[in-house]
Amino acid sequence: MTLESNIPEGAIADKWDNHKFNVKLVNPANKRKFTIIVVGTGLAGASAAASLAELGYDVKIVSFHDSPRRAHSIAAQGGINAAKNYKNDGDSVHRLFYDTVKGGDFRAREANVHRLAQVSVNIIDQCAAQGVPFAREYGGMLDNRSFGGAQVSRTFYARGQTGQQLLLGAYQAMMRVVGLGMAELYNRTEVLEVVVKDGVACGVVCRNLVSGEVFSLAGHAVVMATGGYGNAFYLSTNAMQSNVTAAWRAHKQGAYFANPCYTQIHPTCIPASDDFQSKLTLMSESLRNDGRIWVPKEANDTRPAAQIPEEDRDYYLERRYPAFGNLVPRDIASRAAKREVDNGRGVGPQKNGVFLDFGAAIDRLGEDVIRDRYDNLFEMYDRITDENPYKMPMRIYPAVHYTMGGLWVDYNLMSNLPGLYVLGEANFSDHGANRLGASALMQGLADGYFVLPYTIGDYLAPMLGKPVVTAADPAFKAAETKVGDLTKKMLSIKGKRSVDDIHRELGKVLWDNCGMGRTEATLTKAISEIPAIREEFWTNVKVLGSNESMNQSLERAGRVADFLEFGELMCRDALHRKESCGGHFREEYQTEDGEALRDDENFAYVGAWEWEGVGNDPTLHKEQLTFENVHLATRSYK
Amino acid sequence: MSLSNMKLKVTVWRQAGPNAQGAFKDYDLDNISPEMSFLEMLDTLNEQLNDRGEEPIAFDHDCREGICGSCGVMIDGVPHGPERGTATCQLHMRKFQSGAHIKIEPFRASSFPINKDLSVDRSAFDRIIESGGYISAPTGTAPDANLIPIPKGVADVSMDAAQCIGCGACVAACPNGAAQLFTSAKIQHLNLMPQGQAERWDRTINMVDTMENFFGSCTNHGECEAACPKEISIDFIALMNRDFVKAQLKQRRLAGQVFP
C-alpha cells in the first residue's frame, strides 16, 4: 500500500485555504446524523469534541480520567507559540513555519507545519475569547516571552501553568456542549480496542474502569487524541497513566505507526534520586531564559556550588553555542548535558545533573523579578528536593518528555485506516524529529479547533444515507470477546512479579539502549532482550483482584503489555534509521563537534510501520519528504 | 543514596467497591526513604501487598506534579496532609518522623461517593462546570485577542482563581461538605474578565443552583482555604455571594430593569 499524504496543490501559503474550499461539506441539518467518537480529552481531544459538537455532529467522548480536565496537557508549563508578531520583532507565519521545520531537523511534512503556523494566530484569539487568563502587560495587552530556541518572542503564557489554563478552556467548552446535550461523556472509561470492518474504522470497545463492564461505541468516525508513548521508558515526565494502548491497538488493527524512534528528551528535569522514583518532574524550559547552565571545569569537583569560583566553572552551552547560548533547542541542550555528566563533571549526590544557576539573574534583576517570573517553579523544586533555588543553583538533567512519532496521518489527519483520525501528540505529523518548546500546545489545539472540524466533513459527506455498522455487528462482538479474553489471561497468570517491576525492567532496557544516544550495538541488544521481558510478563506477572471492580493493577498490566510490544518497534525504527536527526541520535552518525549528522539522501522520509504480528518483523512504508520552501541545511545554533 | 530508614505504621481505609462495607486496616512499613513522595510510599506499600497476595490499595493519581488534581486523601484527618499549599503527590516523607502512625482515608463527603479504597467519584464538579462554568465562544467566533485589553491586575486575580485544580480538598475539609471555594473560584475566574460579562448573572445562578443540588452549605469556617493546595482565597466566596445576590435581583423582571 502506498502512503497518500493528500497534500493539496499550490504554493505553500495557499494550500490550506485552497483545501478548505475544495473539501466536501456536510449540510448543517445533516451533521447530527453522524456520530463521531473522540478518545482522549487533552488539548486535542477536548478542543475537537467541543468544536465538532458545536458544528452539530453527534459526539461521544471517552476519557479514562475521573474528570476530563485531568488529561496530561494540564501539566504543560511554559507556553504556546503563535505568529502574532505582537512584539514587533519580525515574527510571521513564515518564520514560525521555518523555525518549526528547521527545529524538527527536516523530518516534518512542510504542508502540515505551514498550516500549523497559519492557524496558530486563531488559537490565541479563541483561547482569549474563552477567558484563558493569559499574562498581560500593564496596558492590558497580551504579554509574550521568548522560549525554547526561538529568536523572537512569540510565546503566550499563563504563569507557569499555561497547559492547565488552555486545557481548562477547552474542557469548559467541551463541558458546555455536554451540558447542553450536544455531546455525551464517558469518564473513567478506557478504550481497549478499535473496531475495523471492511478496512474502515467504525467504533471502539471500552472498559468502564469502576465496574469493569466492557461495552462498544459505534460511530462514523473515530478520533484518537490519546497522547504520546513516553512512559514506555518507565521514568518520564509523563503522567503515571499516560500510555500507548489505544494507539497501539489501532496499530495492530492496521494503522501505521510512524517514526516511533523520535523521542524528545527534555533538558530541564529534576534528576532521579533513587530506585523508588515513580516519575520525573519537569522544570519549565522558560527557566533557561534567566538561568545559566554550568558544570565544574574539573571532573569530580565536589565543592558546593557557591564555593566554586567563576574561573572554575564551565558554562558549556554559552561556550559552545555563543549565538543561542542557554537557549539552544532541547535535543542539543540534552545531549550537551549528557556529555558533561558522562565525562564525570555531573553534580549532586549521584553526579547525575548539571547546574541551572539564577545567581547572575538575581544580581541583575533582583529577587523580586525572578520571584514574579518563576516562583511556582522554584517552590515546586524546593518541595521535591528540599533545596532553595534562590540560594543555590538547581540541579537538572534530561528526561523523556514528549514523543514526536505517532500514528501516521495524511494532511487531513486521517490514518491509513479510513475513518480513524489521529490528533495531537498521538500523531506524527508536525514536529519532525524534534519539537520546539511551546509547540505541543499549539499543535494539540490547532488539530482540534481548526483542522479536524474542516477535514472530517470531507470523509463523512459521502456517507450520508448509507448503512452504518452498529454495535450489534459481529465485528463488535468479536472485539469485545477479545478484550475480555485478554483481561482473563492477565488475571490468570498469577506469577511472581508485579506489573511495575516488569515495566521498570523494560524502561531500563529502553533508556540504556534507545535513549539519548543509540548505536547499532545497543539497539540490537535491546531488540534481543525485549522479547524475553515480554515472555516474562506473559508467564510471570502477578495481577491480583478481579475484572468486575476498579483494578488499577489490571489497567497498568494492559498498558505495560502494549509497551512491551511497542518498545521493540521503537528500537527497530531507531536501528533502521542510519542517521542522526533531532531527538534520534545515533552515535555512529555525528559531525566532528558531536552534532547530529543527517543523511538527507537516504533518510528524508517518514518511516511508517505496518504490524505483522508479535515477534515478526514489521513492514516499512516510506513517505518521501520534500523541502521546497525551507531548504535542507545543517542546523547550526552557533 | 538516600537513607531508607524510616519506619511507619499506616492505617488505611479499605473498601472493595462503591456499595461494599469499608474498614480500616493497619500496615507496617520499614525502609521508607525521607526523599519519597507520599504516593511513592503508597507505591512501596502496594508492591509489598502485591508480593504477599493482598490486593493493592486503589488511589487516584496521575501527573504527580500537583497540577492534575487527581490525587488527594485525608492524612491524619487533613486533606492532602500537613504541608500547607501542597497536594498529596507533592508531599514528601521528610515531613514525617520515623515511627509515625499515619491515618489515611478517602476524601469524605456524601457528594463524593467512594469507588474503592481511597478513590472517590468527584463528577459532581463536572456537573457544576457544565451548568455554566464557561464562556460561550464557539470555535471560530473569536475576535483578535488584543481587541479586549484586560488590565494586568484583573488578569492576575482571575488567574489566582483559575489555578484551582479541582481536587475536592475544599469539600473534604468543610464540616458541611460545601463546595463554595471550588464553585466561587470557577465563577470568579470568568466573572472578573470582560469576556465573561455577557453570561455573568446566568452563570452565577446556574452554577450556584447546581452546587446546592450536590453539596452542603457554607457557614464560613474557612477550612477550605486552609486545605487548598493552591491556597485559593475565600475572598472569592464573598465575590460569588455578591454576584449571586445581584443576579437574583436581575432575574426579577422589573428590578432587573432598574439595577444595571
Side-chain angles (χ1 to χ4, degrees):
Chain A
M1 179 175 165
T2 52
L3 289 169
E4 274 304 330
S5 60
N6 294 316
I7 297 170
E9 296 297 316
I12 189 86
D14 301 329
K15 285 180 192 290
W16 178 230
D17 287 339
N18 291 345
H19 190 63
K20 278 194 289 186
F21 181 74
N22 289 328
V23 292
K24 297 182 203 74
L25 298 175
V26 178
N27 175 311
N30 284 332
K31 287 201 174 82
R32 67 190 156 79
K33 296 173 186 163
F34 292 103
T35 301
I36 302 170
I37 300 161
V38 178
V39 186
T41 57
L43 287 176
S47 59
S51 305
L52 293 170
E54 285 160 4
L55 285 170
Y57 292 111
D58 173 40
V59 179
K60 296 189 192 310
I61 305 156
V62 184
S63 167
F64 64 61
H65 290 94
D66 73 323
S67 166
R69 64 176 287 157
R70 310 210 192 280
H72 193 51
S73 305
I74 205 156
Q77 297 167 354
I80 176 167
N81 286 331
K84 281 284 198 185
N85 193 32
Y86 281 163
K87 284 284 180 184
N88 197 32
D89 57 359
D91 199 11
S92 63
V93 166
H94 192 79
R95 188 175 296 282
L96 176 54
F97 159 67
Y98 177 91
D99 287 354
T100 307
V101 171
K102 179 186 168 204
D105 218 355
F106 301 93
R107 290 295 175 265
R109 201 188 273 151
E110 270 193 343
N112 286 52
V113 177
H114 196 277
R115 173 177 66 190
L116 177 69
Q118 280 175 281
V119 303
S120 69
V121 296
N122 305 104
I123 295 170
I124 301 305
D125 299 341
Q126 181 62 30
C127 295
Q130 287 171 344
V132 170
F134 284 121
R136 300 268 165 177
E137 307 271 16
Y138 283 97
M141 299 302 168
L142 288 156
D143 191 19
N144 292 114
R145 59 183 171 199
S146 83
F147 196 83
Q151 289 195 310
V152 291
S153 293
R154 62 161 75 102
T155 303
F156 294 79
Y157 65 101
R159 293 194 191 146
Q161 290 134 279
T162 317
Q164 181 199 26
Q165 293 310 314
L166 295 175
L167 181 63
L168 291 180
Y171 153 77
Q172 288 166 190
M174 185 182 87
M175 291 315 290
R176 172 177 167 268
V177 293
V178 170
L180 294 171
M182 297 152 74
E184 199 175 349
L185 171 65
Y186 297 82
N187 66 332
R188 285 207 196 258
T189 300
E190 181 165 28
V191 166
L192 293 178
E193 192 60 278
V194 175
V195 182
V196 178
K197 184 166 182 180
D198 302 329
V200 174
C202 54
V204 294
V205 174
C206 310
R207 179 174 178 269
N208 179 309
L209 297 181
V210 179
S211 69
E213 182 204 356
V214 173
F215 64 98
S216 293
L217 296 173
H220 293 81
V222 176
V223 177
M224 209 167 262
T226 50
Y229 47 82
N231 271 348
F233 290 89
Y234 187 74
L235 281 182
S236 79
T237 67
N238 285 7
M240 301 297 288
Q241 301 190 82
S242 300
N243 66 77
V244 77
T245 287
W248 188 248
R249 295 191 185 180
H251 173 62
K252 290 171 81 171
Q253 292 296 325
Y256 296 168
F257 214 110
N259 301 335
C261 75
Y262 293 162
T263 48
Q264 179 163 77
I265 317 286
H266 194 292
T268 54
C269 304
I270 302 178
S273 70
D274 215 330
D275 290 343
F276 54 74
Q277 187 119 12
S278 58
K279 73 157 284 178
L280 298 168
T281 303
L282 176 79
M283 288 283 107
S284 170
E285 189 164 21
S286 61
L287 293 167
R288 288 201 274 147
N289 284 339
D290 287 306
R292 297 179 70 195
I293 293 174
W294 62 277
V295 290
K297 275 189 181 154
E298 294 299 322
N300 300 315
D301 186 338
T302 53
R303 287 176 290 179
Q307 289 171 25
I308 302 178
E310 276 302 308
E311 62 270 20
D312 292 348
R313 300 177 176 193
D314 180 9
Y315 295 91
Y316 58 88
L317 287 178
E318 295 171 23
R319 173 171 57 79
R320 289 173 56 193
Y321 307 97
F324 279 69
N326 293 298
L327 293 174
V328 290
R330 292 175 174 179
D331 53 339
I332 291 175
S334 292
R335 275 200 298 279
K338 179 181 190 305
R339 188 159 102 163
E340 300 307 326
V341 170
D342 288 350
N343 289 338
R345 305 206 288 177
V347 299
Q350 303 203 45
K351 310 186 73 56
N352 61 351
V354 298
F355 285 128
L356 176 62
D357 196 338
F358 294 87
I362 290 172
D363 289 346
R364 188 175 75 247
L365 302 164
E367 196 171 307
D368 286 347
V369 174
I370 296 300
R371 192 176 297 280
D372 201 37
R373 288 184 188 165
Y374 308 113
D375 192 42
N376 62 329
L377 299 168
F378 278 34
E379 256 181 46
M380 181 153 80
Y381 182 86
D382 191 349
R383 214 172 279 144
I384 292 170
T385 61
D386 213 16
E387 291 175 2
N388 179 352
Y390 292 105
K391 304 283 174 230
M392 57 203 284
M394 286 183 177
R395 288 175 293 114
I396 54 162
Y397 195 64
V400 176
H401 176 59
Y402 185 89
T403 54
M404 283 74 66
L407 292 178
W408 183 89
V409 289
D410 68 2
Y411 187 74
N412 294 314
L413 302 182
M414 186 157 80
S415 73
N416 59 302
L417 287 180
L420 178 69
Y421 288 81
V422 191
L423 272 55
E425 190 179 354
N427 77 25
F428 86 100
S429 70
D430 292 1
H431 305 297
N434 175 55
R435 179 174 65 75
L436 291 178
S439 285
L441 303 183
M442 173 172 67
Q443 188 223 339
L445 290 179
D447 288 359
Y449 282 136
F450 294 111
V451 179
L452 184 73
Y454 294 91
T455 59
I456 202 167
D458 197 47
Y459 173 74
L460 296 174
M463 295 168 84
L464 188 68
K466 303 258 174 68
V468 290
V469 184
T470 68
D473 191 275
F476 278 92
K477 295 300 147 199
E480 286 173 19
T481 307
K482 188 172 153 197
V483 166
D485 289 349
L486 194 70
T487 301
K488 279 191 206 110
K489 190 171 171 195
M490 290 188 290
L491 289 167
S492 68
I493 296 167
K494 297 187 171 31
K496 291 201 161 50
R497 291 179 65 186
S498 72
V499 175
D500 284 1
D501 190 30
I502 296 174
H503 192 180
R504 246 189 304 265
E505 186 183 344
L506 171 70
K508 186 162 167 36
V509 168
L510 290 177
W511 179 247
D512 289 348
N513 299 297
C514 192
M516 260 187 287
R518 301 128 182 221
T519 66
E520 184 168 338
T522 64
L523 292 164
T524 311
K525 178 164 175 278
I527 292 168
S528 72
E529 287 174 2
I530 293 169
I533 308 174
R534 207 159 52 219
E535 174 71 14
E536 171 77 357
F537 178 90
W538 286 110
T539 53
N540 199 25
V541 76
K542 184 176 191 176
V543 184
L544 299 169
S546 71
N547 173 53
E548 283 72 33
S549 77
M550 193 172 182
N551 189 340
Q552 294 171 327
S553 307
L554 178 64
E555 293 165 28
R556 281 205 293 279
R559 295 166 193 165
V560 171
D562 290 331
F563 282 136
L564 284 163
E565 292 172 1
F566 169 78
E568 188 178 329
L569 181 69
M570 181 159 71
C571 295
R572 284 186 189 280
D573 186 42
L575 180 64
H576 112 280
R577 191 166 279 279
K578 293 183 171 36
E579 64 161 351
S580 293
C581 55
H584 169 64
F585 192 71
R586 281 283 297 265
E587 288 170 13
E588 305 96 312
Y589 308 100
Q590 52 180 305
T591 63
E592 280 175 11
D593 340 330
E595 305 294 349
L597 186 62
R598 285 199 327 265
D599 178 356
D600 295 327
E601 185 115 349
N602 296 304
F603 289 97
Y605 63 78
V606 177
W609 298 90
E610 181 180 1
W611 175 251
E612 300 287 1
V614 184
N616 298 332
D617 287 356
T619 304
L620 177 65
H621 302 268
K622 296 178 184 177
E623 179 199 334
Q624 198 63 37
L625 294 168
T626 51
F627 294 90
E628 293 164 351
N629 299 278
V630 184
H631 293 293
L632 286 162
T634 302
R635 289 159 80 208
S636 170
Y637 293 93
K638 301 193 173 187
Chain B
M1 286 302 289
S2 53
L3 300 166
S4 291
N5 57 1
M6 290 176 75
K7 285 185 195 306
L8 296 174
K9 182 189 271 298
V10 291
T11 298
V12 183
W13 183 259
R14 302 302 308 261
Q15 180 173 332
N19 302 312
Q21 182 78 36
F24 283 107
K25 200 156 179 205
D26 290 340
Y27 301 99
D28 289 307
L29 279 161
D30 45 23
N31 292 327
I32 293 296
S33 159
E35 301 300 317
M36 279 181 186
S37 71
F38 194 83
L39 298 185
E40 285 166 347
M41 181 274 289
L42 284 178
D43 290 341
T44 307
L45 173 56
N46 273 346
E47 284 286 292
Q48 293 174 12
L49 292 179
N50 200 69
D51 283 350
R52 58 183 198 239
E54 190 175 338
E55 206 181 325
I57 300 160
F59 63 93
D60 283 317
H61 63 98
D62 199 24
C63 77
R64 299 202 176 190
E65 294 179 16
I67 193 74
C68 76
S70 298
C71 70
V73 292
M74 303 295 277
I75 302 169
D76 291 332
V78 180
H80 294 304
E83 193 176 5
R84 280 294 278 261
T86 304
T88 305
C89 61
Q90 295 285 286
L91 177 66
H92 280 69
M93 296 314 292
R94 65 177 85 92
K95 299 288 169 188
F96 297 88
Q97 300 292 324
S98 185
H101 180 179
I102 307 172
K103 191 172 184 183
I104 308 170
E105 300 167 76
F107 280 174
R108 301 279 195 192
S110 57
S111 43
F112 289 167
I114 293 174
N115 293 315
K116 184 173 184 171
D117 299 334
L118 304 174
S119 165
V120 296
D121 177 358
R122 289 165 288 195
S123 40
F125 277 3
D126 290 328
R127 302 290 84 75
I128 294 176
I129 298 299
E130 74 188 24
S131 72
Y134 47 76
I135 290 171
S136 299
T139 307
T141 54
D144 185 90
N146 260 347
L147 266 183
I148 314 164
I150 302 180
K152 186 173 187 303
V154 172
D156 284 349
V157 178
S158 175
M159 181 67 200
D160 287 342
Q163 63 179 330
C164 165
I165 60 174
C167 63
C170 47
V171 174
C174 178
N176 308 326
Q180 250 77 3
L181 190 63
F182 169 79
T183 312
S184 68
K186 295 315 300 174
I187 289 179
Q188 291 308 317
H189 155 213
L190 302 170
N191 279 9
L192 287 164
M193 291 230 172
Q195 304 94 306
Q197 297 312 304
E199 293 165 299
R200 179 173 183 170
W201 313 111
D202 285 345
R203 171 185 305 121
T204 307
I205 288 196
N206 291 338
M207 290 176 74
V208 169
D209 281 354
T210 309
M211 171 186 80
E212 289 183 338
N213 285 339
F214 288 97
F215 295 93
S217 301
C218 173
T219 47
N220 297 319
H221 284 262
E223 294 284 346
C224 50
E225 181 183 289
C228 176
K230 292 290 161 190
E231 302 185 275
I232 290 174
S233 165
I234 52 172
D235 289 1
F236 289 116
I237 300 180
L239 292 170
M240 174 178 76
N241 289 341
R242 178 202 63 181
D243 278 5
F244 185 71
V245 171
K246 280 185 98 171
Q248 291 290 4
L249 264 179
K250 284 181 177 296
Q251 269 199 339
R252 315 280 308 179
R253 191 171 57 85
L254 286 177
Q257 309 290 319
V258 180
F259 297 98

